[in-house]
Amino acid sequence: MSLRLRLALFIALAISLALLLQGFLGYASFERLQMGNLERELDTYLGRIALQLEGRRGPPRLFRRERDDDESRASGLMPLDHLRDGALLAPLPNPTPAGSIAHARLVREGEVLREWGRFPTEVPLSDNLEARLEQNWLYKSLRLGPNLYLQGALEASQVRASLAGYRQTVLFTALVVALLGAWVAWLVSGPALRPLRHLQEAARRVADSGDLSLRVPAEGSGELFHLSQTFNQMLERLAAFRQREAEFTRNAAHELRTPLTALRLQLDTQQQGLASPEETLAVVREEVERMSRLSESLLTLAREGRGQKVGLDLAQLAREAASRAGVPYRGPETLKLSGDPFLLAQALENLLNNAQKYAPKAAVQVELEATPDQAFAILRVRDEGPGMLPEVTKRATEPFYRAPGVRVPGHGLGLSVVAQVARAHQGRLVLLPNQPQGLQAELWIRLTEG
């Protein structure tokens, strides 16, 4: 089901529910009004008949009749005792309300003494004072004395027909308006969803062709406009990522091909008798170690520095690395944190190798300290070599980057790996000039979770 059709159906459903709710409330009010009017007519009708029975004129005294009975009992006289007289059974006119059909009957102890009109057979004998509806008749009783009551019935077919017509009108109106709303929503949603269709088409073309240069027209407003912009930004980032990946792969292949070429040349030389087995073995061992370091660096970059963090003593790790490199260490005796010991050792080894390669015979020192807020630990390698130019510092962490004019052997992944390890520990790599000369590389490692 398309989003356009779903939107049209949703609007139709919402309109239907709103109209049905409004119709239900209106129907309840209309029914209460109609039945109230009908009941008042029935009360008036019963009052007129009661006056006929009492043989006097005047306004109905329906609500005073029980009190009158009590007063009559107190005086020893019942106002309707004359009903026992056979002469009162003479025919009396049926005072029906204008435009209505009404019947009444006088009942004593379950026996019908008199009827006004032909009382409907579907209405049962009942002295209930509350109005009830039976098929097309509204009926209730008026108590005239002990075991004596007057029961009246008023035809309610017109009221019921009006209520049925009201219900049909509500249902028909809800259906028609809902269909009209769905049709209008279908027409309006077409232009409104045009940016979304463009986005869908662009996503499909990117999925089919893999062309990340495609862009979605930035049109519309609100969320769809921002969605188009976000989609274009995502494509730009993916294109940049693909380009970096291609460059990384190309450089990695080039770096791996260099030691392999050296191995093949050395083996050819040894096969031609131009090199001794010892010389060939030394070259092979050196190139294998070079490929091993390169593969480890590539693996670290490929897994984006993710590692398994455990509790470790960074001060002990720094002291051991400084001892292996033959440089002094300055810092605390112990500094506990959670990190990956393999990645941290590799990062520190890279910093020391860089310092010794690019600053030969210069003083190198390993330092460790914590920031004043105890949020980070700073593992610093300081050298007094030639330092690094500002433009080189900006690109020093790019994979396979080599500073112009540098002849020192290497594959250009050392600082990239250090930066990746820093990110894996929620830190960063900072390269600063050393005073009075040289370079200090700072590896910031978060101590507390932030």
Side-chain angles (χ1 to χ4, degrees):
M1 181 182 295
S2 66
L3 179 60
R4 188 180 181 186
L5 179 58
R6 187 175 301 179
L7 181 62
L9 293 178
F10 176 77
I11 291 178
L13 179 62
I15 292 176
S16 300
L17 292 177
L19 289 178
L20 289 177
L21 178 61
Q22 188 274 336
F24 173 77
L25 296 177
Y27 175 80
S29 177
F30 182 68
E31 182 185 30
R32 186 168 56 253
L33 176 64
Q34 293 294 316
M35 297 306 293
N37 291 336
L38 199 64
E39 185 176 354
R40 281 191 290 274
E41 290 185 3
L42 183 57
D43 289 339
T44 303
Y45 172 61
L46 291 176
R48 290 172 183 169
I49 294 179
L51 289 177
Q52 286 184 353
L53 293 174
E54 293 177 353
R56 58 185 173 89
R57 297 181 178 178
R61 302 172 61 193
L62 296 178
F63 302 106
R64 297 172 54 190
R65 198 160 301 282
E66 292 292 339
R67 188 186 64 185
D68 292 345
D69 290 345
D70 296 338
E71 294 174 352
S72 298
R73 292 190 192 95
S75 61
L77 297 175
M78 293 295 291
L80 296 175
D81 282 347
H82 57 282
L83 289 176
R84 298 189 182 91
D85 188 351
L88 290 177
L89 297 178
L92 293 174
N94 188 3
T96 58
S100 302
I101 299 176
H103 306 284
R105 56 189 175 189
L106 183 64
V107 182
R108 168 178 286 169
E109 297 179 350
E111 179 184 358
V112 178
L113 301 180
R114 180 187 298 279
E115 284 190 352
W116 286 264
R118 188 179 181 84
F119 205 88
T121 57
E122 57 267 32
V123 178
L125 284 174
S126 172
D127 60 349
N128 199 312
L129 302 182
E130 299 294 331
R132 295 184 177 180
L133 187 64
E134 180 68 30
Q135 296 185 7
N136 289 328
W137 295 93
L138 181 71
Y139 68 95
K140 67 183 297 185
S141 297
L142 176 63
R143 195 168 299 161
L144 301 179
N147 299 323
L148 178 66
Y149 63 90
L150 182 64
Q151 186 181 19
L154 194 63
E155 188 181 34
S157 57
Q158 292 185 354
V159 173
R160 300 195 67 174
S162 300
L163 294 175
Y166 192 101
R167 290 195 299 269
Q168 293 176 356
T169 301
V170 169
L171 294 176
F172 179 76
T173 303
L175 177 62
V176 172
V177 175
L179 292 177
L180 182 61
W183 180 67
V184 173
W186 176 267
L187 294 179
V188 174
S189 61
L193 296 177
R194 185 180 299 117
L196 195 59
R197 288 200 301 274
H198 291 162
L199 185 63
Q200 180 184 11
E201 178 64 20
R204 186 188 62 78
R205 292 172 60 188
V206 169
D208 293 342
S209 64
D211 184 5
L212 298 178
S213 63
L214 295 173
R215 296 294 181 270
V216 179
E219 57 182 354
S221 60
E223 290 82 357
L224 291 178
F225 177 75
H226 294 302
L227 182 61
S228 300
Q229 283 189 322
T230 304
F231 185 79
N232 289 336
Q233 292 173 358
M234 182 190 68
L235 290 180
E236 292 174 0
R237 291 178 64 87
L238 287 176
F241 175 78
R242 174 182 287 182
Q243 184 178 0
R244 290 196 301 270
E245 184 186 39
E247 293 177 355
F248 181 85
T249 304
R250 184 170 55 253
N251 291 330
H254 174 74
E255 292 296 329
L256 286 173
R257 187 172 57 187
T258 301
L260 291 175
T261 303
L263 286 174
R264 186 174 62 250
L265 291 176
Q266 186 62 36
L267 292 175
D268 291 342
T269 303
Q270 196 273 336
Q271 187 177 15
Q272 295 171 4
L274 301 177
S276 64
E278 291 76 10
E279 293 174 337
T280 302
L281 184 60
V283 172
V284 169
R285 181 179 293 107
E286 180 182 356
E287 295 302 330
V288 168
E289 290 178 354
R290 181 180 177 184
M291 284 193 297
S292 177
R293 290 194 299 271
L294 178 60
S295 61
E296 290 179 357
S297 299
L298 291 175
L299 182 61
T300 302
L301 293 176
R303 64 180 181 177
E304 298 180 348
R306 293 188 297 269
Q308 186 176 4
K309 294 184 179 180
V310 296
L312 59 91
D313 186 352
L314 186 60
Q316 180 181 358
L317 187 146
R319 279 199 308 272
E320 293 175 354
S323 177
R324 286 194 300 271
V327 300
Y329 164 78
R330 189 176 69 179
E333 289 297 322
T334 180
L335 199 158
K336 303 288 186 180
L337 56 81
S338 178
D340 188 317
F342 173 77
L343 293 180
L344 291 174
Q346 185 180 8
L348 184 55
E349 184 178 354
N350 287 359
L351 293 177
L352 288 170
N353 288 338
N354 278 357
Q356 293 177 338
K357 282 195 303 184
Y358 295 102
K361 300 181 181 179
V364 179
Q365 182 174 326
V366 175
E367 299 176 356
L368 178 62
E369 64 179 354
T371 56
D373 58 356
Q374 300 295 316
F376 290 91
I378 303 176
L379 186 58
R380 181 182 300 111
V381 175
R382 188 195 302 269
D383 69 70
E384 296 180 359
M388 189 179 290
L389 296 175
E391 57 272 20
V392 176
T393 304
K394 295 179 181 177
R395 302 188 56 190
T397 58
E398 295 181 8
F400 301 106
Y401 175 75
R402 305 295 304 275
V406 174
R407 301 299 180 186
V408 178
H411 42 68
L413 292 178
L415 292 181
S416 300
V417 171
V418 177
Q420 196 71 279
V421 172
R423 286 191 289 270
H425 291 81
Q426 302 179 35
R428 60 186 181 276
L429 173 63
V430 180
L431 301 176
L432 298 171
N434 187 33
Q435 297 300 332
Q437 66 176 10
L439 178 73
Q440 59 179 18
E442 296 181 348
L443 176 61
W444 288 56
I445 305 168
R446 179 171 286 278
L447 289 174
T448 58
E449 295 296 331

